[in-house]
Amino acid sequence: MENLKSIIEAIIFASDVPLSLKQLKEIINEPNKPFTKNGDQTKISEQDIKNAIDELNREYTERGSAFRIIEIAEGYQFATLPEFARWVGKLFKERTKKKLSQPALETLAIIAYKQPISKPEIEAIRGVNVDHIIKTLLEKKLITIVGRADTLGRPLLYGTTKEFLKYFGLKSLSELPKPTEIEEIMQEDDEKINSYIEVTEDEREKIPKKNGK
Amino acid sequence: MENLKSIIEAIIFASDVPLSLKQLKEIINEPNKPFTKNGDQTKISEQDIKNAIDELNREYTERGSAFRIIEIAEGYQFATLPEFARWVGKLFKERTKKKLSQPALETLAIIAYKQPISKPEIEAIRGVNVDHIIKTLLEKKLITIVGRADTLGRPLLYGTTKEFLKYFGLKSLSELPKPTEIEEIMQEDDEKINSYIEVTEDEREKIPKKNGK
Amino acid sequence: MKYKVKLPYFEGPLDLLLFFIKRDELNIYDIPIAKITKDFLEYIQLMQMLDLEIASEFIVMASTLMQIKAKMLLPKPNVENEEEEEDPRAELVKQLLEYKKFKELAGEFEKMEDEASKIYYRGYFKHDARDYYDENETYEFLKDVSLFDLLTAFKKAFENASEKEVHEIEVQNYKVEDEIENIINRLKIKSRFSFSEFFEEYHEKIRIIVAFLAILELARLKKIKISQQDTFGEIFIERAFEEQERYAANAI
């Protein structure tokens, strides 16, 4: 059932930014197939939209729903109610546990391919201090200390763990794609499969290098 | 009011990825302050969660809500009903949804049904080089490297991802459309041919044997 | 040389063969090899005339077709052997059928893609209630990482490293405090901008580093939020101080 209320609900739900009444009005009254009330071309006013949002929130309250449409400076958006913070927090905690940041990933990649490797060597490649990241990776058990280098100061050497293999679904380190393999995958120019025609013509003009190593 | 149904609603609503029953169960039964039923420490089962989701969806239907909790990519996530695509689409007008090219779809189909599969194997089926496409599919996270083949050269093996399931609106790989087996294609075509032409015994023998080795 | 000629496009030799079979309503199990070879070669000639590069697969297929044709012309060996004698076309037919199967499946995939594109997921989560959400983990809040990401990261790390060796750094006197003020001022005008947008006007490496430190400091002070939508996606800096706070922010 398409009615103004559900349309507004759908739009606010899917939007990746908060929407103002004005923006909502524009979307709904857009000349190309605008919303019609009982087959009537009446324009929807901001007040109509405001009423619909209030009505939706009333329904959510009645139903004991866990979310509401809230209004902040930039506009309207969905949010879960504060009393569920504990549960939503658990969700995010679960998820963040498993995540790696870009710097962490780069450091992990260097360790994976260059192991055993010391912190100074990693820093020489990355050009930044990696203390914090090494600590995180150790905590996540993705790397471990495997010994000491014979070089000056005998710095600790790091290598990857079984957890690391598990994380990436590898049976052994020998399964790691080689940098040359990624070169092969990446060697293609930056043109992406965006438009059908572009791709097809591009591909047509391409001489495959299948046997060409 | 904290009850299991609203807690599940809150958790799924706040997640930007599908959550499996198992994940939901873990969050709800987490040792640190788990959910309690009437002050009782009863563990919540996956079935309890599934029932709550069904109940929630029933309520959304009754209310004429624009979204439902759908089963997608091995989990549950809130999503708008397709009939609101027209309105929500207006929101994302500028960024027109990009579709995959024909070669990309073909390659993806091969990977989906034959996974884990190596590049040479894909190329044997498509009869063309697929470097470029593999790269794009990897970037789009529709496929991923899943290991190495034991065959000569130990080529990398590819498989599909959860993103793939989500992109095609699938609950799991078992939902993939059943391919018409070669045998069936042959049969169909045979029937077609038979219904159109009278084939003499002689000619019939010229048709290569199906499993012809 | 890139000619953009709209010639009926084929994915490859198999696709072209399937086209001929469909166009001429040929029996796929009894392909008239002479005719199809002729059509195939004509197509290649057309491509040559148009000065299009011909993928090596087409050449390989042309030779395969000619081989099959030659075999078919050979007189049949003794009759007793006939049962074991494989049709020279059998391998090709098998290949064509296999390819045809996936071509059809690709059509199914396209329909599924279409249907799935009508479904939208929730897009904005910023104000969702969540307790013990550790601000320090903001940087860690990324999507799942694959092996491909790992390799890409490796490549990137080395590319960046080699760049560093090439450029001489002219030491300038940039202060983190100045950059903080600069960022705050920019955020007053625009509440959110992307990393790449931000660094566009920075050319010296040392200044980029100083500005980056300023961003980190602001994030620590919770004056800004740093977010990213996809792994390796654009990173955004967002104003996290309120209207009335903006003036005070100057005093940092």
Side-chain angles (χ1 to χ4, degrees):
Chain A
M1 258 293 292
E2 272 206 13
N3 60 58
L4 185 61
K5 213 169 59 186
S6 341
I7 291 168
I8 290 169
E9 191 181 38
I11 295 171
I12 298 176
F13 173 86
S15 174
D16 54 3
V17 287
L19 294 171
S20 66
L21 290 177
K22 189 160 165 278
Q23 286 168 310
L24 283 162
K25 197 181 80 176
E26 273 164 19
I27 292 166
I28 290 164
N29 289 326
E30 204 213 44
N32 176 31
K33 290 216 264 167
F35 178 77
T36 49
K37 233 195 302 201
N38 317 323
D40 187 7
Q41 277 278 4
T42 334
K43 286 246 172 148
I44 302 302
S45 70
E46 292 189 13
Q47 189 56 49
D48 293 336
I49 294 167
K50 179 83 179 63
N51 292 345
I53 292 172
D54 289 344
E55 180 60 32
L56 283 166
N57 273 333
R58 234 187 328 270
E59 287 176 14
Y60 301 148
T61 312
E62 260 170 41
R63 238 194 18 82
S65 178
F67 48 76
R68 299 285 185 278
I69 298 173
I70 62 164
E71 190 186 358
I72 53 151
E74 303 99 305
Y76 290 89
Q77 60 180 286
F78 271 100
T80 42
L81 290 172
E83 50 259 52
F84 296 96
R86 174 182 147 209
W87 301 100
V88 177
K90 281 190 188 181
L91 163 76
F92 280 88
K93 208 177 173 207
E94 281 304 309
R95 291 199 48 201
T96 46
K97 256 196 264 176
K98 290 177 203 150
K99 305 299 152 191
L100 287 175
S101 66
Q102 179 65 18
L105 188 61
E106 281 185 22
T107 307
L108 185 59
I110 293 166
I111 295 170
Y113 286 99
K114 296 268 173 183
Q115 59 187 302
I117 186 170
S118 70
K119 193 163 71 67
E121 288 173 296
I122 300 166
E123 285 174 347
I125 295 170
R126 294 219 45 230
V128 287
N129 177 290
V130 293
D131 281 343
H132 180 76
I133 295 168
I134 293 278
K135 197 177 146 246
T136 312
L137 293 175
L138 282 169
E139 275 168 8
K140 285 178 195 269
K141 297 195 196 312
L142 290 168
I143 62 166
T144 186
I145 297 160
V146 293
R148 277 190 187 280
D150 290 329
T151 54
L152 190 73
R154 306 208 61 216
L156 294 173
L157 290 171
Y158 298 96
T160 53
T161 60
K162 272 191 192 154
E163 284 299 311
F164 166 84
L165 293 177
K166 219 170 122 191
Y167 188 101
F168 289 101
L170 297 168
K171 282 190 219 112
S172 70
L173 273 178
S174 71
E175 282 201 340
L176 261 187
K178 292 189 193 71
T180 48
E181 284 172 318
I182 207 69
E183 285 299 325
E184 270 166 42
I185 298 171
M186 303 291 282
Q187 75 189 350
E188 308 298 327
D189 43 345
D190 285 0
E191 283 173 56
K192 287 180 188 167
I193 304 192
N194 282 336
S195 93
Y196 183 70
I197 298 298
E198 276 304 312
V199 170
T200 51
E201 282 180 351
D202 184 45
E203 287 209 325
R204 179 206 300 159
E205 285 161 7
K206 199 175 70 141
I207 298 179
K209 291 147 201 151
K210 230 198 276 186
N211 304 315
K213 281 181 206 171
Chain B
M1 258 292 292
E2 273 206 10
N3 60 58
L4 184 63
K5 210 171 63 186
S6 328
I7 291 169
I8 290 169
E9 189 181 41
I11 297 170
I12 302 177
F13 198 80
S15 175
D16 63 342
V17 292
L19 296 173
S20 67
L21 292 178
K22 188 161 164 273
Q23 284 171 306
L24 285 162
K25 198 180 80 175
E26 273 165 19
I27 293 167
I28 290 166
N29 290 327
E30 203 213 44
N32 177 29
K33 290 214 266 171
F35 176 76
T36 49
K37 233 193 298 198
N38 319 322
D40 187 8
Q41 277 277 7
T42 335
K43 286 244 169 152
I44 301 304
S45 72
E46 291 188 12
Q47 190 56 48
D48 293 338
I49 296 169
K50 179 81 181 67
N51 292 344
I53 291 171
D54 290 345
E55 180 58 33
L56 284 164
N57 273 334
R58 242 190 316 275
E59 289 177 13
Y60 303 146
T61 310
E62 262 170 38
R63 232 187 30 73
S65 175
F67 44 72
R68 297 283 184 280
I69 299 173
I70 63 162
E71 200 182 342
I72 185 89
E74 290 157 1
Y76 291 87
Q77 191 173 0
F78 270 95
T80 57
L81 294 171
E83 52 259 49
F84 293 95
R86 177 184 146 206
W87 299 100
V88 183
K90 285 189 185 181
L91 199 57
F92 300 105
K93 213 171 32 188
E94 336 72 81
R95 77 165 117 110
T96 38
K97 282 208 169 178
K98 281 172 195 154
K99 296 283 164 88
L100 290 172
S101 69
Q102 186 63 22
L105 287 168
E106 281 178 24
T107 308
L108 206 46
I110 294 168
I111 296 171
Y113 288 94
K114 299 257 176 185
Q115 59 187 307
I117 186 171
S118 69
K119 193 165 71 69
E121 290 172 299
I122 302 167
E123 285 172 345
I125 295 172
R126 291 207 56 224
V128 287
N129 176 289
V130 294
D131 282 343
H132 185 81
I133 298 167
I134 292 277
K135 187 195 162 205
T136 310
L137 295 176
L138 280 168
E139 278 172 356
K140 286 184 186 281
K141 293 189 181 292
L142 293 169
I143 62 167
T144 188
I145 300 163
V146 293
R148 267 183 201 286
D150 288 328
T151 54
L152 190 74
R154 307 206 63 211
L156 295 174
L157 292 170
Y158 300 96
T160 54
T161 60
K162 277 200 182 161
E163 277 303 310
F164 163 83
L165 292 176
K166 209 167 162 185
Y167 187 84
F168 288 100
L170 297 167
K171 285 181 206 163
S172 69
L173 277 177
S174 64
E175 258 206 336
L176 279 177
K178 208 176 147 287
T180 341
E181 283 310 317
I182 291 189
E183 301 293 312
E184 284 171 42
I185 301 177
M186 292 188 118
Q187 262 165 27
E188 275 167 34
D189 284 8
D190 276 354
E191 279 157 25
K192 251 181 261 165
I193 295 158
N194 286 339
S195 61
Y196 288 117
I197 345 154
E198 288 286 305
V199 191
T200 62
E201 277 303 305
D202 240 84
E203 281 166 332
R204 197 104 183 97
E205 271 165 24
K206 280 187 208 151
I207 298 172
K209 303 252 152 58
K210 276 173 203 174
N211 297 316
K213 276 177 196 174
Chain C
M1 239 188 292
K2 285 196 176 185
Y3 287 82
K4 301 274 174 192
V5 183
K6 294 263 150 84
L7 196 68
Y9 175 69
F10 300 99
E11 292 305 323
L14 293 173
D15 198 27
L16 179 56
L17 288 177
L18 284 180
F19 168 76
F20 290 143
I21 290 166
K22 199 175 168 213
R23 184 194 62 187
D24 300 335
E25 297 180 343
L26 303 175
N27 176 358
I28 198 163
Y29 315 102
D30 190 13
I31 301 167
I33 207 78
K35 181 186 171 352
I36 217 163
T37 305
K38 187 172 150 274
D39 289 348
F40 193 89
L41 292 175
E42 273 172 9
Y43 181 82
I44 290 183
Q45 274 163 8
L46 183 62
M47 283 173 83
Q48 274 168 337
M49 270 164 58
L50 293 170
D51 221 358
L52 293 169
E53 274 180 315
I54 298 158
S56 61
E57 291 99 348
F58 282 91
I59 309 292
V60 173
M61 180 58 76
S63 85
T64 307
L65 287 171
M66 288 188 287
Q67 264 174 23
I68 296 172
K69 191 176 145 192
K71 273 192 199 155
M72 302 276 291
L73 289 172
L74 288 176
K76 286 238 163 98
N78 25 351
V79 195
E80 309 96 74
N81 256 348
E82 210 189 343
E83 268 185 6
E84 278 151 49
E85 186 65 24
E86 200 179 24
D87 189 304
R89 298 167 298 182
E91 191 54 39
L92 180 65
V93 169
K94 216 177 113 198
Q95 225 187 331
L96 281 170
L97 287 171
E98 177 87 341
Y99 178 63
K100 186 168 174 252
K101 177 173 97 182
F102 286 108
K103 213 173 142 61
E104 281 162 6
L105 282 169
E108 290 297 311
F109 273 43
E110 204 177 348
K111 278 184 223 154
M112 283 161 22
E113 180 188 38
D114 240 27
E115 278 309 306
S117 75
K118 290 184 194 147
I119 287 168
Y120 291 84
Y121 298 93
R122 203 177 147 213
Y124 192 81
F125 297 86
K126 211 173 122 188
H127 289 261
D128 272 37
R130 58 180 89 129
D131 72 352
Y132 67 78
Y133 175 60
D134 188 353
E135 278 296 330
N136 294 327
E137 296 241 17
T138 315
Y139 299 107
E140 309 278 325
F141 185 51
L142 293 171
K143 295 237 158 62
D144 273 325
V145 165
S146 70
L147 261 183
F148 180 66
D149 297 329
L150 185 72
L151 261 165
T152 314
F154 180 69
K155 214 176 155 248
K156 222 169 160 182
F158 274 88
E159 272 168 8
N160 294 344
S162 46
E163 257 175 49
K164 262 172 237 137
E165 284 159 16
V166 179
H167 299 291
E168 281 286 316
I169 295 169
E170 201 181 318
V171 181
Q172 289 282 344
N173 219 1
Y174 291 114
K175 285 198 198 122
V176 175
E177 297 78 52
D178 296 342
E179 292 304 329
I180 286 181
E181 202 184 318
N182 178 23
I183 294 165
I184 297 236
N185 285 332
R186 283 184 67 167
L187 282 170
K188 281 187 204 165
I189 302 161
K190 203 176 161 199
S191 67
R192 182 171 117 143
F193 48 78
S194 70
F195 248 59
S196 45
E197 186 186 342
F198 177 73
F199 283 114
E200 239 167 42
E201 56 182 58
Y202 290 70
H203 301 296
E204 291 140 287
K205 257 193 173 145
I206 184 73
R207 191 163 174 218
I208 293 174
I209 294 165
V210 172
F212 188 68
L213 290 174
I215 290 170
L216 292 182
E217 180 63 11
L218 282 168
R220 196 182 64 80
L221 294 169
K222 298 188 181 160
K223 296 292 176 199
I224 58 167
K225 274 211 156 151
I226 299 172
S227 58
Q228 184 182 33
Q229 271 162 7
D230 312 297
T231 319
F232 313 141
E234 188 57 86
I235 293 170
F236 292 96
I237 303 164
E238 230 171 296
R239 185 172 69 204
F241 51 87
E242 291 303 319
E243 202 74 20
Q244 63 272 24
E245 243 188 283
R246 282 194 226 170
Y247 305 99
N250 252 339
I252 294 170

